[in-house]
Amino acid sequence: MPRVVSICLADWPVTHLRRAGRLAEDGLPVALAAAGSGGLRLTAVDAQARALGLRPGEPLGRVRARLGTPLRILPADPQADAAALERLCLWAQRYTPRVAPYGPDEDGFGLHLDVTGACHLHGGEAGLLDDLERRLGAAGIPARLALADTPGAAYALARFGPAARSHVPPGGTGAALAELPVAALRCEAATVTALKRLGLKRIGALARAPRAPLARRFGAALVIRLDQALGLRPEPLAPIPEPARYGAARSFLEPVSRQETIVAVARGLMGQLGPRLAADGLGALAFRLSLHRVDGAVKTLDLGLASPARCPDRIAGLLRLRLDRLGSALDAGFGFESIRLDVTAADRMPEAQGRLGSDPGAGGTAIGSSSGTASGTVIALAEALSQRLGRPLLRLGAVASHLPERADRVLPWRPGTGPAWSAAPLPRRPVLLLARSEPAEEVLALAPDGPPRRFRWRARLHRIARAEGPERIAPEWWRADGPERDYYAVECEAGRRLWLYRSGPHAPERPAAWFVHGVFA
């Protein structure tokens, strides 16, 4: 059963400033303000200001008029608050790698921790909550904690629960949420007001109400949020991505938009990353190029390599192919003001002696490596095709099954991987194998167990000129019992070559069924 911890940070903007040393310890109540409708409005307050009756959203002029005590007002900085929260999410990955900040529908600041399968590493669920509460307290971060089966239930208890710490045992979500207000379901304010007018003030009363009238009256969003909180509908989290270990960026005084400039900048950034990768004995397998437009939009391009590399020219060549394929779809707008290149995947890249005159730090062609052989040419061709087509290359891999429809599977192509077929000679198979064998009708065979002489397939009558077979293929007894198949390779008078099989033996009271399974070249 999933287990989620929710950490509600009610005073996070003020806490962030205090931890950064930007608040004087003079004991005055603190509030943050930003421009809003009708002038400056409060965006966040600390515990002292909240005790005075101040609430976010209140006009600053009205606060000054009715408040007789001194109050420290500071400008709000949402970007700095979000950056500080992201750093806290990275710290929380000590408990689990799946950490996600609150979404836009969740009031205030906070984060979710999907601790499913990780609690035993911290002494159980109670031990994890104890350690989390102790560390946050020691860091001066006031927080409300809740552990429940779903993100919705954990958020509701952390934000609206009666205690600063809630621990709901598995399966107890419904009882724990019954007395909480409907506002804990992360619905719109208008929906919450309408529910209260109908007398549905608690989640328990709402859960007992018929779903169909609720959906017709308030829309599907209310029912979805209720089901997510109760665990009747899944609610996946969007964990923060891990920071790139190898990355470089460049900003410009004047925006750039030309393809040649972008490729040249990417080559230079890879030249900066190459020595860092070489120092760790690594080569890049995947890159992400981020193009920041002047209007704030970000265009990202992901590049995948077939083998580890540190060569700037190799990266630049692949990027040029990708930009050629995109063309006007790149949409540079008024230009890009900064470009960033991050290594998103890396692998071991053993050192090799370089050619005379080559730059050892650039990761160029190595003597005796696959870069200077035919396999290196295949790798370069595979990477170029992948960037030109916009999708990874695939290959066929053999499967230990004698049934034609199960004898192979599609796998991603990797350097050094061939078709992996057995060295023993294989029986001839059609070029096109139908995804599902299609029935042949009106089959005429001269002998009960002989090849067909005539049959109808896809509304056309086919007369057989030549036939080879049969090739008997038995069913896989370890999977399921079934009839044996007798396959025939036939050539029609019109020249079409097909692969047919008879399912099971022929009997006078039950004629055997025939099927077309493939088409030869």
Side-chain angles (χ1 to χ4, degrees):
M1 179 176 292
R3 300 295 282 168
V4 180
V5 173
S6 183
I7 305 175
C8 181
L9 307 168
D11 303 331
W12 177 247
V14 180
T15 302
H16 155 236
L17 293 178
R18 182 171 286 113
R19 283 175 47 81
R22 296 170 56 185
L23 282 181
E25 298 298 335
D26 51 9
L28 293 179
V30 180
L32 305 183
S37 59
L40 294 176
R41 290 181 175 271
L42 300 184
T43 60
V45 296
D46 66 352
Q48 289 181 273
R50 190 178 297 106
L52 296 175
L54 303 185
R55 295 292 183 269
E58 191 173 357
L60 181 59
R62 185 185 304 172
V63 170
R64 294 185 184 278
R66 71 178 179 85
L67 197 64
T69 59
L71 179 66
R72 182 176 297 278
I73 305 296
L74 295 175
D77 191 349
Q79 294 183 352
D81 297 337
L85 182 62
E86 184 176 354
R87 292 192 295 269
L88 184 63
C89 290
L90 294 175
W91 170 85
Q93 288 183 339
R94 63 180 289 115
Y95 299 99
T96 173
R98 299 180 294 275
V99 180
Y102 279 1
D105 295 337
E106 294 163 328
D107 186 25
F109 292 87
L111 55 151
H112 295 294
L113 284 68
D114 186 352
V115 296
T116 306
C119 294
H120 68 282
L121 301 175
H122 305 276
E125 295 181 350
L128 186 147
L129 288 177
D130 290 339
D131 186 74
L132 186 57
E133 187 176 32
R134 178 180 59 82
R135 292 180 182 274
L136 291 175
I141 301 177
R144 294 171 57 90
L145 309 179
L147 175 58
D149 294 339
T150 64
Y155 165 81
L157 291 166
R159 179 71 174 81
F160 296 90
R165 170 175 165 173
S166 303
H167 185 186
V168 181
T173 300
L177 297 180
E179 297 302 321
L180 294 184
V182 292
L185 292 178
R186 301 167 293 177
C187 300
E188 297 181 355
T191 301
V192 174
T193 302
L195 289 172
K196 291 181 179 179
R197 291 175 180 173
L198 295 176
L200 300 174
K201 300 180 180 181
R202 303 294 175 184
I203 296 180
L206 187 64
R208 292 189 296 269
R211 300 298 177 87
L214 288 178
R216 288 195 299 267
R217 178 74 178 271
F218 302 102
L222 174 63
V223 177
I224 290 175
R225 284 304 192 187
L226 178 61
D227 289 344
Q228 287 176 342
L230 296 177
L232 304 177
R233 189 188 299 260
E235 182 183 358
L237 297 176
I240 59 172
E242 295 185 3
R245 183 177 177 184
Y246 303 96
R250 181 178 174 183
S251 301
F252 311 98
L253 295 177
E254 294 291 337
V256 299
S257 58
R258 291 172 54 86
Q259 174 179 327
E260 295 80 3
T261 306
I262 297 174
V263 173
V265 171
R267 181 188 290 109
L269 295 177
M270 187 60 210
Q272 301 177 29
L273 299 179
R276 294 166 53 186
L277 291 167
D280 295 336
L282 298 175
L285 276 176
F287 295 89
R288 173 165 294 169
L289 185 72
S290 302
L291 307 172
H292 299 259
R293 291 194 325 198
V294 295
D295 60 354
V298 180
K299 298 291 183 178
T300 59
L301 300 178
D302 291 316
L303 304 177
L305 306 182
S307 61
R310 299 190 291 263
C311 179
D313 291 335
R314 181 175 172 185
I315 307 305
L318 295 178
L319 178 60
R320 185 178 292 107
L321 291 175
R322 173 62 67 85
L323 294 177
D324 287 341
R325 183 174 62 86
L326 288 177
S328 60
L330 181 61
D331 190 14
F334 293 102
F336 302 108
E337 61 182 359
S338 66
I339 297 177
R340 181 174 180 84
L341 183 66
D342 292 305
V343 177
T344 56
D347 198 2
R348 302 299 301 177
M349 184 176 180
E351 294 294 337
Q353 180 180 356
R355 290 180 177 176
L356 294 178
S358 65
D359 183 4
T365 304
I367 297 176
S369 68
S370 62
S371 308
T373 62
S375 60
T377 304
V378 173
I379 291 175
L381 175 61
E383 292 176 347
L385 289 175
S386 179
Q387 301 303 326
R388 178 69 73 178
L389 299 176
R391 53 181 177 269
L393 300 183
L394 304 175
R395 67 181 178 92
L396 285 180
V399 178
S401 175
H402 57 270
L403 292 181
E405 62 270 19
R406 296 177 181 168
D408 54 47
R409 60 179 175 176
V410 177
L411 299 173
W413 183 86
R414 292 289 182 269
T417 57
W421 303 116
S422 172
L426 296 175
R428 185 174 58 169
R429 291 291 181 260
V431 176
L432 173 62
L433 190 69
L434 300 180
R436 180 175 298 177
S437 56
E438 301 178 4
E441 302 173 345
E442 302 178 17
V443 180
L444 174 63
L446 298 181
D449 296 332
R453 307 301 299 172
R454 183 188 69 187
F455 65 93
R456 185 178 297 277
W457 175 57
R458 292 185 177 179
R460 292 185 59 183
L461 187 64
H462 300 269
R463 300 182 184 276
I464 307 302
R466 298 177 183 84
E468 296 180 6
E471 176 191 349
R472 176 158 293 182
I473 298 180
E476 296 177 336
W477 57 267
W478 59 91
R479 289 181 178 268
D481 295 332
E484 296 177 339
R485 303 179 188 175
D486 287 339
Y487 279 86
Y488 293 90
V490 302
E491 181 178 348
C492 304
E493 293 179 353
R496 173 171 289 185
R497 303 173 66 204
L498 303 174
W499 204 38
L500 289 82
Y501 71 86
R502 181 180 59 243
S503 179
H506 179 82
E509 65 278 2
R510 187 185 60 84
W514 289 81
F515 298 89
V516 178
H517 205 174
V519 180
F520 289 97

